[in-house]
Amino acid sequence: MKNLLANDGWRGMHATRTTNGIVQSRSVAAILFAGAISIAIATWVCFRLGAGVAVVGFVYLIEVLLVSLMGSLVSSVAISVIAVGCLNFFFTQPLFTFRVDAQQDIVVLTAFFVTSFVVTFLVHRTRQLAAVHREQAQLLDLTHDSVVALDMNDVITYWNSGAEALYGWKKHEALGHVADRLLHTRFPAALEDIKKTLIETGRWEGEIVNTRRDGSEAAVASRWALVRDEQGRPIATLETGTDITERKRVEEALQQVSRLTSIGELGASVAHEIAQPLAAVATHGAACLRWIDRDVPDLEKVRASVQRILTDVQRATEIVRRVRMLAKRIAPEMTRLEINELISDVMVLLQREVLKHNVALRATLASKLPAVLGDRIQLAQVVTNLITNGIQAMSTIEDRPRELTIKSWRSDDGYVIVSVQDSGTGIDLRHADRLFEPFFTTKPEGMGVGLSICRSIIDAHGGRVWAENNPGYGATFQFTIPVIGDSGSGE
């Protein structure tokens, strides 16, 4: 049975090849016949007009070129040979014979044949390259990712079917437009900084937000590659994009869950922090009543008590503001912010949690750090997650101090770096590659979303996050955020 099927398959392939061969032979014969007729007509017209060898040779070259554009290499070479024969027989002395007496005519005929052969070969090679390019373009159209080519002025020169499906514009509608103007692109960093990185390294990756033709927004994981010519000069940019809109929706939902979970875990600490100023307000309020109920009210002491009440109310309001900063679920808003100020806000919010776990929290924040472009709520969540993660990593430590150190500084390549270093058990090397995977956790009660959310937030801000074990005890988690402009540095 297997042999029978194999024989049937072989016969089918053989029949297909035979059919293709017959079709190709007929095509070559048809082109050869048409070319021969064309040569004959051109010969008759030139002979009747008394054209010279040079003119006839030029006409024949046009004929050879047209045949080369139409058919195979075989038909083109055959037409070249026929053209040389006609040029010799009808236009070279003695006429109507293939004998050539003059050496000059031999040179002319040889030059014509070589020229026609070169033209034939070049056209054939050009057709081959064009076919390869068409096949490559068809392959690019098979991918679901968008593939867009831009010149050095960001003008679209190629737009595949994946881009059509993602953004809604057809190829002929997108070509010739400036990409970021057509798509109203929102970049995670200044476009000038992105282009600088592209020129220096030859590539760039990041998450961008583009606007579709229908007005909806698409989150895209974008990868850029710089194309250079033989002299090394940049000539184009190839941009591939993966639609991650749905993934970002899921991540945002997980971020909200993580934020609310963090607030739940910090509930006792928040209640304690709010209870202190409220108790002080009650105390100062009672004092005010005593000063007012006197026969001669002591207005100075009343004023002082009221001032203390206002101060304590401000303290409680600030605590509520910080909690709301974590609990809000709003669209990301990229604004100019000071990273040290954000770290300080989170540290105050987590102060009770730090004391509860007997952790010594230290901060070494560089002065005069440049501002960064980021979403305050999201970056506060990253810092909160990393500090909470460090506190939990030291929960079982009894033989050494529980120390948590937060540092910030500016790198030489234009980033602000924040690190959170603990003295806990460190990272199990078996799990090091999976730390930032969604839903991966080594804690029995953990959800496995905290570090994954940190990575997605930092990636969206054009930075990166990583972790490594310390030389002694514990681990250090670090992340980077691009700075805005060049507004100074600090150590």
Side-chain angles (χ1 to χ4, degrees):
M1 183 67 180
K2 291 182 178 179
N3 292 335
L4 182 60
L5 291 174
N7 290 335
D8 289 343
W10 182 87
R11 283 196 294 268
M13 292 175 60
H14 180 70
T16 301
R17 291 175 180 174
T18 302
T19 301
N20 291 339
I22 292 174
V23 171
Q24 187 175 4
S25 298
R26 289 177 177 176
S27 175
V28 170
I31 294 173
L32 187 60
F33 178 76
I37 295 297
S38 178
I39 288 289
I41 295 173
T43 301
W44 181 81
V45 171
C46 290
F47 188 81
R48 295 286 294 179
L49 295 176
V53 174
V55 174
V56 177
F58 179 75
V59 173
Y60 283 168
L61 280 178
I62 295 176
E63 298 280 355
V64 171
L65 177 61
L66 293 176
V67 172
S68 299
L69 293 172
M70 292 173 56
S72 67
L73 182 63
V74 174
S75 59
S76 301
V77 172
I79 291 298
S80 297
V81 172
I82 294 174
V84 170
C86 290
L87 190 63
N88 182 21
F89 191 82
F90 292 103
F91 300 96
T92 304
Q93 297 295 333
L95 300 180
F96 309 120
T97 177
F98 290 107
R99 190 177 80 247
V100 181
D101 294 336
Q103 185 175 3
Q104 181 180 357
D105 292 338
I106 297 177
V107 173
V108 170
L109 292 173
T110 303
F112 173 81
F113 181 75
V114 171
T115 303
S116 62
F117 181 78
V118 169
V119 168
T120 298
F121 176 78
L122 291 177
V123 171
H124 179 70
R125 181 59 178 167
T126 301
R127 287 170 58 86
Q128 284 183 324
L129 293 176
V132 171
H133 291 161
R134 283 195 300 270
E135 291 175 359
Q136 291 175 342
Q138 290 172 354
L139 289 176
L140 292 178
D141 278 334
L142 293 177
T143 180
H144 295 293
D145 289 345
S146 65
V147 180
V148 179
L150 312 174
D151 64 16
M152 296 311 295
N153 294 317
D154 293 336
V155 174
I156 300 170
T157 58
Y158 177 78
W159 184 269
N160 79 329
S161 59
E164 291 182 350
L166 177 57
Y167 299 122
W169 282 280
K170 295 299 182 181
K171 180 181 296 185
H172 69 274
E173 296 173 323
L175 295 180
H177 288 273
V178 177
D180 56 85
R181 294 179 187 172
L182 177 69
L183 302 173
H184 302 285
T185 306
R186 296 206 308 269
F187 296 100
L191 183 56
E192 293 76 13
D193 295 337
I194 292 176
K195 288 186 176 182
K196 181 180 178 181
T197 301
L198 182 66
I199 294 294
E200 291 176 351
T201 66
R203 61 185 62 253
W204 177 83
E205 295 184 11
E207 293 182 4
I208 61 178
V209 178
N210 288 325
T211 302
R212 298 186 179 97
R213 184 171 189 171
D214 61 7
S216 62
E217 292 187 340
V220 178
S222 185
R223 299 167 296 279
W224 296 10
L226 188 65
V227 181
R228 299 181 182 273
D229 60 15
E230 295 179 353
Q231 286 74 38
R233 295 172 298 190
I235 57 174
T237 301
L238 183 66
E239 177 186 347
T240 58
T242 303
D243 186 5
I244 57 172
T245 306
E246 188 59 33
R247 193 189 83 187
K248 296 299 290 186
R249 289 197 187 102
V250 174
E251 288 179 352
E252 289 174 4
L254 289 176
Q255 289 175 23
Q256 179 69 2
V257 171
S258 178
R259 285 196 290 268
L260 296 178
T261 301
S262 299
I263 293 173
E265 292 173 350
L266 299 173
S269 300
V270 173
H272 176 81
E273 293 295 329
I274 294 179
Q276 284 184 329
L278 290 181
V281 167
T283 301
H284 297 315
C288 278
L289 291 177
R290 289 196 301 271
W291 302 126
I292 293 174
D293 287 340
R294 286 187 173 187
D295 294 336
V296 180
D298 192 335
L299 297 182
E300 286 299 325
K301 291 184 178 180
V302 169
R303 183 181 292 105
S305 294
V306 171
Q307 186 62 47
R308 285 192 288 268
I309 289 174
L310 293 175
T311 301
D312 289 325
V313 168
Q314 183 61 35
R315 285 177 56 198
T317 302
E318 186 66 16
I319 293 170
V320 173
R321 181 189 68 81
R322 293 184 180 118
V323 174
R324 290 185 64 194
M325 181 177 65
L326 286 178
K328 279 184 179 180
R329 183 176 183 178
I330 59 177
E333 182 179 353
M334 307 298 280
T335 59
R336 181 188 182 94
L337 57 88
E338 304 293 335
I339 198 71
N340 286 348
E341 179 184 323
L342 183 144
I343 294 173
S344 298
D345 283 349
V346 174
M347 288 176 62
V348 172
L349 188 61
L350 295 176
Q351 188 173 15
R352 182 69 180 175
E353 193 74 11
V354 169
L355 296 175
K356 175 183 174 182
H357 289 84
N358 195 27
V359 173
L361 180 60
R362 297 184 178 87
T364 305
L365 307 179
S367 61
K368 298 181 181 179
L369 278 179
V372 300
L373 185 67
D375 182 272
R376 177 176 291 274
I377 295 174
Q378 290 188 344
L379 291 181
Q381 183 179 359
V382 171
V383 176
T384 301
N385 286 355
L386 295 183
I387 293 178
T388 304
N389 188 71
I391 293 174
Q392 294 173 351
M394 297 184 289
S395 60
T396 60
I397 300 301
E398 301 294 345
D399 60 341
R400 58 183 179 273
R402 300 178 182 179
E403 298 177 340
L404 193 67
T405 304
I406 305 174
K407 297 180 180 179
S408 68
W409 69 96
R410 181 180 181 178
S411 67
D412 294 333
D413 55 353
Y415 288 85
V416 167
I417 303 178
V418 177
S419 71
V420 178
Q421 178 179 329
D422 64 65
S423 59
T425 56
I427 301 169
D428 189 335
L429 296 181
R430 295 174 300 173
H431 304 145
D433 294 337
R434 302 188 62 194
L435 280 179
F436 296 96
E437 290 183 5
F439 306 110
F440 174 78
T441 180
T442 57
K443 306 169 188 175
E445 72 284 0
M447 297 176 59
V449 298
L451 292 179
S452 172
I453 288 172
C454 289
R455 184 179 66 177
S456 65
I457 290 175
I458 297 303
D459 286 347
H461 281 72
R464 67 185 187 96
V465 61
W466 71 98
E468 56 191 8
N469 281 322
N470 300 328
Y473 299 102
T476 298
F477 286 78
Q478 302 182 69
F479 67 86
T480 63
I481 299 292
V483 304
I484 300 177
D486 188 14
S487 51
S489 62
E491 298 299 335

